[in-house]
Amino acid sequence: MTVPPDDRTFRREMATAYRSGWHFIDLVTAIPHRGDSLMVTLFGEPILVAREEDEDVRAYRCLRRPRGAPKPVRCAVRYGMVFVNLDQRDHQLFEPETSTATPRSA
């Protein structure tokens, strides 16, 4: 794959990907058909990247515990490349903060 050196959008997206914890896995052509998968080890963690039945590419962290179900990992396909983000803070769900203040007009 060749990229013109003056493609600013590509360079900007790649800089954002590397700064934000996104890691390149492989080209999307490595999993061309529905049901195809790819197992990689990233920082000592086994990651399964699969093309699902709806043609989307998804990634899962494979747990080593018995009966541990694979946990979804953030996955993105950009410019024909598959990226995953293993940052745990990125996968936590946060409850919206609720305000308990009483308005002055009450």
Side-chain angles (χ1 to χ4, degrees):
M1 176 177 177
T2 59
V3 177
D6 62 343
D7 189 355
R8 291 181 185 161
T9 306
F10 178 75
R11 287 196 314 254
R12 186 173 35 246
E13 278 203 26
M14 292 307 296
T16 302
Y18 287 119
R19 269 196 319 268
S20 65
W22 289 91
H23 302 283
F24 171 72
I25 297 297
D26 204 339
L27 297 176
V28 79
T29 56
I31 45 176
H33 306 291
R34 285 186 247 171
D36 288 350
S37 64
L38 175 68
M39 180 72 99
V40 295
T41 302
L42 186 62
F43 301 115
E45 294 200 36
I47 305 294
L48 175 73
V49 181
R51 184 173 295 270
E52 302 286 335
E53 292 299 321
D54 58 0
E55 293 289 330
D56 283 342
V57 175
R58 294 192 179 94
Y60 301 93
R61 175 180 281 138
C62 299
L63 302 177
R64 295 187 177 144
R65 292 181 241 146
R67 300 156 125 203
K71 293 202 175 211
V73 175
R74 286 188 62 198
C75 180
V77 176
R78 295 284 185 265
Y79 296 100
M81 297 179 281
V82 179
F83 293 89
V84 297
N85 191 332
L86 297 181
D87 190 0
Q88 288 294 324
R89 295 171 296 174
D90 219 18
H91 302 286
Q92 295 174 358
L93 298 176
F94 294 98
E95 296 287 328
E97 292 183 20
T98 56
S99 176
T100 57
T102 305
R104 291 182 185 218
S105 63

